[in-house]
Amino acid sequence: MANQELVSKIAHLRNVSNQFLDFQGRETNVPFENIERIVSAMGYDLNNDDQLAQDAWELDTHQWFKLLEPVTVLSPHRDYWGVSVYVSDHDLHQLLEWSITTESGQVLSGRVELSSLTQTGDYRMPDGIQYVRRLLNLPNDLPLGYHQLSVVVGDKNAESPLVVTPKTSFHNDAMCQGDKVWGSAIQLYTLRSERNWGMGDFTDLAELIRHLADQGAGFVGLNPIHALYPISPDHCSPYSPSNRSFLNVLYVDVESVPEFQESAALKRKVTTEAFSAKVSHLRSVGYVEYSGVSALKFECFKVLYSVFKKEHLGKGTKRDKAFQSFVEEQGEPLKLQALFDALLTHFKEQDINAWGWPAWPEAYQDYRSDAVARFAQENRDEVNYWMYLQFIADEQLQQVAKLSDDLGMKVGLYRDLAVGADRGGAEVWSNCEAFCLDASVGAPPDALGPNGQNWGLPPMDPVEMKREGYQTFITLLRNNMRACNALRIDHALGLLRLWWCPPGKGAAYGAYIYNDLFDLLGILALESQRNECMVIAEDLGTVPEEVRTYFPKVELYSNKIFYFEIDHTGCLPPQDYAPKALAVVCNHDIPTVKAYWTASDLDLRWQLNMFGSKQDFDNEKAAREWAKGQILNALDQQGLLPKGYSVEQAVSESGMSFELSQAIHQYLASSRSQMVGVQLDDMLLIEEPVNVPGTSSEYPNWRRKLTENTDSLFARKGVRQLCTRLNKARKA
């Protein structure tokens, strides 16, 4: 049995919490066995007491021997504005000299007596030497940004990054003056058109933006469009990507790439009877056939790149300069992404089971290895090819974002940042040390998931994140704030803490591991301001007090779900919704309006054996009927109840109609929340879900398309009427 004292000490030093408030507000103690599993997953050997003692000692003492922490993030929300300096008490008679080199090259400096600084901690070593932590106060008018701090104390010196962050995130003029907008949150692959190749693409997105802008919408929200596994197209979950910093190239519209117009052969190819027949089939089916779409697009991608290489690459053309500029701007992360895709293709051709880097030969599992360097040198053209695909994807997304601005959308495009990356993908491979590969993130047991949720994604290691100066986190934010005016952060509670699930066990055996909230919020606010990108923080679930306090202080937009705003008192009145919020009736994890009303989502979960008992299923059914009654009552109180409905009639007799869906969305549009989203699925009264949380192979998640194309949808009189009512409600 592991030494409980040592394991508990390591857990404390690694910010593993031994208690939490559950979804009912009850204080819950984490069993020690769970703590053991998490500490073991972090890489500590619980069967070796001597090593555990050494690990605990190093965790407890290592910082006291260094003048500065790996990085300091100055946040206006902390109760101090300064840098922690670690010295022995023998040094307190000395002067401390400091200098800050700002991003612009300006140098600020000063000196102060160590003995005059406020002491914020101390540690006595076994040899009797006393170490102290003193707070070096810094000027209040430091420029925002990423600077370098240098400190000298006697014959000791240290350098460390210094990040100066703003008080709040960015808000554009329309949001600052309190404008209310509506828009649509979409799954891009679901879009139909008469021209796509079987799944929605960036050109379809542009067409949707034109329609929505014409109807008065202020934004379009996207599902995550992160890079997936290009040679494993059926790995299609946008929330389990290969790399969150880059794009899914299947969203590229091949015929809109400039090189397509330069290739007479490719233009002939896509008009042949055989090719057209394949496209027609992929376009007509109700579910995206990713393998078919991928085969056609990658067949053409190779031709596009060959044209680019022949006509532009290295020739100094405008196109070549644009590509080189993109490569330089994206730097090492892009090169590693392209190198990963090249290696993945190479090994998958040799072995169909080489699904990701853990299944590659050992020599290639470390991106810094000599074998990887040789492969990169010998396959430069292949690496360039994969960088080119990211280039054309980014180019088309940039054009779409510009279109939303040109059409006067008050917010425009917003993107979605997934909570994690798949363990076998490029993001983890290119930065393995930043992740804890033996654990996965999820959620503790709650009313919707009595066994908790395990999302299968490895968590980032908070200690490693800080050691590397948060560079991985910064890159992630910057790349996801490209080509958009707002960023939705999925499970934003992870900025404070994440529920880690140990290997081989369900989520109920996990525990919360805490991040430095002020560091991450500060960097998020800084990148938000620099990229002029609003932030929508998905704060659903059990929300801890720190989040309720500091998210609003940083002015992050909250995320409200209409169904979740129903309690024993009824539906939350429109005037009581949070102003700085994106409010939606439902999202990709929640049943559509029609499914909610018919309770077909509950029937589906029953068929998939997702209820613990028949009684649980019956209880959910009864609760749904009660909630529907509260919705009808709320609509009636607002004068929105459609003809044919009454709060007195049995709810089960009230079918879902377009008029009722319209009334529910109008109710939400009359709320105080500045952003209100409507799913295209609900405009079409689609009942079938795009995703059933908690399933993988049991249900065809992330494949179901819309039932009509965009032109047909907005030709509907009822849809245009809904848009008119939303505009009026937003202006009222």
Side-chain angles (χ1 to χ4, degrees):
M1 176 151 178
N3 185 309
Q4 184 166 347
E5 181 181 354
L6 289 174
V7 171
S8 297
K9 186 172 185 178
I10 289 174
H12 171 72
L13 294 168
R14 292 298 307 267
N15 293 322
V16 182
S17 180
N18 59 10
Q19 58 181 207
F20 64 98
L21 293 179
D22 70 7
F23 68 100
Q24 294 179 322
R26 300 173 304 193
E27 190 167 285
T28 303
N29 292 319
V30 178
F32 179 68
E33 293 80 6
N34 292 17
I35 301 292
E36 283 185 307
R37 293 185 181 100
I38 295 300
V39 171
S40 177
M42 288 177 164
Y44 298 96
D45 184 357
L46 272 58
N47 297 315
N48 187 334
D49 283 0
D50 291 340
Q51 185 60 51
L52 269 185
Q54 180 65 27
D55 292 337
W57 164 257
E58 290 179 0
L59 281 171
D60 203 18
T61 61
H62 78 280
Q63 182 57 67
W64 296 98
F65 300 129
K66 300 178 180 179
L67 279 176
L68 296 173
E69 294 181 3
V71 61
T72 297
V73 179
L74 295 184
S75 165
H77 298 291
R78 294 190 198 270
D79 56 8
Y80 62 87
W81 184 265
V83 176
S84 292
V85 181
Y86 298 80
V87 295
S88 73
D89 55 2
H90 300 310
D91 295 318
L92 290 177
H93 68 283
Q94 301 197 69
L95 283 175
L96 181 151
E97 299 182 36
W98 62 268
S99 67
I100 297 172
T101 304
T102 68
E103 284 181 309
S104 64
Q106 180 185 9
V107 178
L108 309 171
S109 62
R111 58 173 55 191
V112 63
E113 293 182 0
L114 270 171
S115 59
S116 69
L117 301 181
T118 300
Q119 185 162 312
T120 59
D122 61 68
Y123 194 103
R124 183 172 293 278
M125 298 294 172
D127 59 8
I129 297 178
Q130 178 89 359
Y131 284 81
V132 295
R133 183 176 63 228
R134 294 288 174 112
L135 181 66
L136 171 64
N137 292 310
L138 293 176
N140 292 323
D141 59 351
L142 288 173
L144 300 178
Y146 300 93
H147 315 309
Q148 194 70 16
L149 170 70
S150 297
V151 166
V152 177
V153 175
D155 60 354
K156 303 173 187 173
N157 63 82
E159 289 190 355
S160 175
L162 177 70
V163 188
V164 184
T165 67
K167 189 173 184 179
T168 65
S169 58
F170 173 79
H171 300 279
N172 65 26
D173 292 342
M175 295 294 101
C176 283
Q177 65 190 23
D179 286 7
K180 291 180 175 181
V181 298
W182 71 272
S184 185
I186 68 162
Q187 307 290 308
L188 180 52
Y189 60 85
T190 66
L191 296 184
R192 287 180 179 267
S193 69
E194 296 300 318
R195 46 141 303 280
N196 73 34
W197 290 8
M199 63 180 283
D201 58 27
F202 289 131
T203 298
D204 290 329
L205 177 58
E207 188 61 22
L208 175 65
I209 286 173
R210 291 188 183 93
H211 279 291
L212 283 168
D214 188 53
Q215 295 298 323
F219 67 84
V220 177
L222 292 178
N223 60 296
I225 52 175
H226 307 315
L228 300 179
Y229 290 86
I231 47 75
S232 300
D234 286 319
H235 180 110
C236 59
S237 171
Y239 290 96
S240 184
S242 170
N243 195 336
R244 292 172 291 170
S245 285
F246 296 98
L247 298 174
N248 180 357
V249 298
L250 287 186
Y251 287 124
V252 168
D253 172 12
V254 169
E255 295 173 88
S256 292
V257 177
E259 283 70 49
F260 181 83
Q261 298 304 322
E262 299 180 55
S263 174
L266 191 52
K267 285 192 280 188
R268 285 194 301 272
K269 178 184 184 65
V270 301
T271 57
T272 62
E273 185 175 343
F275 196 95
S276 297
K278 292 177 183 177
V279 170
S280 295
H281 165 75
L282 293 169
R283 194 182 289 155
S284 65
V285 293
Y287 285 75
V288 178
E289 293 184 3
Y290 285 102
S291 57
V293 175
S294 177
L296 292 186
K297 291 204 173 187
F298 274 94
E299 187 180 337
C300 296
F301 286 157
K302 284 289 186 182
V303 180
L304 291 175
Y305 176 66
S306 67
V307 173
F308 174 76
K309 186 169 64 170
K310 178 182 177 182
E311 301 295 336
H312 302 288
L313 187 61
K315 292 182 169 56
T317 64
K318 184 178 179 180
R319 192 91 177 120
D320 177 51
K321 289 178 181 177
F323 173 69
Q324 301 299 343
S325 176
F326 173 75
V327 170
E328 182 179 357
E329 181 183 5
Q330 293 300 303
E332 190 68 10
L334 172 64
K335 293 175 183 176
L336 288 173
Q337 167 67 37
L339 180 54
F340 174 88
D341 284 338
L343 281 162
L344 183 65
T345 304
H346 171 76
F347 287 118
K348 196 72 180 284
E349 288 173 351
Q350 296 180 1
D351 180 0
I352 193 66
N353 295 313
W355 58 275
W357 67 266
W360 298 349
E362 187 175 353
Y364 296 88
Q365 293 181 13
D366 185 344
Y367 73 92
R368 296 159 296 195
S369 73
D370 291 340
V372 170
R374 283 194 302 273
F375 181 90
Q377 180 69 22
E378 295 167 3
N379 295 272
R380 276 189 287 183
D381 189 57
E382 186 71 7
V383 174
N384 266 339
Y385 163 69
W386 288 103
M387 289 197 293
Y388 169 77
L389 294 190
Q390 287 297 323
F391 166 64
I392 60 177
D394 180 79
E395 181 178 55
Q396 292 193 358
L397 180 61
Q398 296 276 5
Q399 292 166 355
V400 171
K402 183 178 184 301
L403 175 66
S404 70
D405 293 339
D406 292 345
L407 293 176
M409 283 188 154
K410 290 186 176 180
V411 173
L413 205 61
Y414 85 65
R415 292 175 61 180
D416 197 345
L417 174 61
V419 68
D422 190 74
R423 70 182 64 248
E427 184 175 336
V428 175
W429 175 77
S430 62
N431 199 7
C432 235
E433 58 276 2
F435 292 85
C436 183
L437 297 180
D438 287 336
S440 56
V441 297
D446 59 23
L448 292 178
N451 297 317
Q453 299 178 53
N454 186 335
W455 303 325
L457 309 171
M460 295 186 74
D461 185 333
V463 171
E464 184 59 31
M465 286 173 67
K466 188 164 187 174
R467 188 201 65 77
E468 55 135 39
Y470 296 112
Q471 282 305 308
T472 299
F473 182 64
I474 293 165
T475 297
L476 201 57
L477 293 177
R478 285 178 181 168
N479 281 10
N480 281 275
M481 288 178 174
R482 283 177 69 86
C484 65
N485 295 323
L487 178 66
R488 177 186 178 272
I489 299 181
D490 187 53
H491 194 65
L493 306 183
L495 294 168
L496 171 69
R497 65 184 189 183
L498 277 173
W499 184 263
W500 286 28
C501 308
K505 289 288 184 178
Y509 294 89
Y512 277 117
I513 283 71
Y514 278 73
N515 293 307
D516 189 317
L517 178 65
F518 292 112
D519 280 7
L520 298 188
L521 272 184
I523 292 170
L524 175 61
L526 177 60
E527 289 300 321
S528 168
Q529 293 280 6
R530 291 198 154 186
N531 292 281
E532 297 188 350
C533 183
M534 293 168 49
V535 178
I536 302 161
E538 194 249 339
D539 51 356
L540 304 173
T542 305
V543 183
E545 184 61 35
E546 298 95 323
V547 168
R548 286 196 293 268
T549 299
Y550 289 104
F551 278 24
K553 286 187 176 182
V554 182
E555 297 188 13
L556 306 182
Y557 272 66
S558 181
N559 199 180
K560 301 298 181 187
I561 305 287
F562 173 72
Y563 299 149
F564 294 171
E565 301 299 324
I566 305 173
D567 61 19
H568 67 280
T569 64
C571 295
L572 184 70
Q575 65 271 17
D576 291 343
Y577 272 75
K580 277 192 167 48
L582 165 65
V584 296
V585 175
C586 49
N587 63 20
H588 57 273
D589 284 333
I590 310 295
T592 64
V593 168
K594 185 171 183 180
Y596 184 89
W597 210 259
T598 63
S600 63
D601 63 303
L602 301 181
D603 295 333
L604 179 58
R605 287 171 58 197
W606 173 254
Q607 293 167 17
L608 296 173
N609 297 313
M610 298 180 71
F611 284 99
S613 67
K614 180 63 163 58
Q615 186 61 53
D616 292 340
F617 172 67
D618 292 339
N619 290 343
E620 283 285 326
K621 281 269 192 175
R624 179 67 57 81
E625 290 299 302
W626 176 85
K628 287 159 59 179
Q630 301 307 306
I631 293 171
L632 292 176
N633 187 57
L635 295 177
D636 187 48
Q637 290 177 358
Q638 297 293 319
L640 295 173
L641 196 64
K643 291 180 180 179
Y645 291 87
S646 77
V647 295
E648 289 80 21
Q649 73 183 116
V651 174
S652 59
E653 297 176 6
S654 308
M656 172 53 62
S657 65
F658 186 81
E659 290 71 27
L660 180 57
S661 173
Q662 189 176 89
I664 291 171
H665 284 95
Q666 187 175 350
Y667 178 94
L668 196 59
S670 66
S671 74
R672 295 174 67 219
S673 295
Q674 285 187 266
M675 298 176 69
V676 167
V678 184
Q679 290 199 125
L680 299 182
D681 310 56
D682 293 329
M683 289 184 175
L684 292 165
L685 286 188
I686 295 175
E687 189 166 8
E688 196 174 356
V690 295
N691 172 51
V692 178
T695 66
S696 53
S697 58
E698 302 92 335
Y699 183 83
N701 294 320
W702 315 115
R703 288 171 169 82
R704 193 263 292 148
K705 300 180 187 178
L706 297 176
T707 53
E708 293 183 20
N709 66 41
T710 304
D711 290 338
S712 173
L713 169 64
F714 285 96
R716 286 183 171 220
K717 181 179 179 181
V719 169
R720 296 197 306 274
Q721 183 185 56
L722 168 62
C723 297
T724 299
R725 292 178 70 173
L726 293 172
N727 286 321
K728 289 181 178 178
R730 297 273 71 194
K731 292 176 182 177

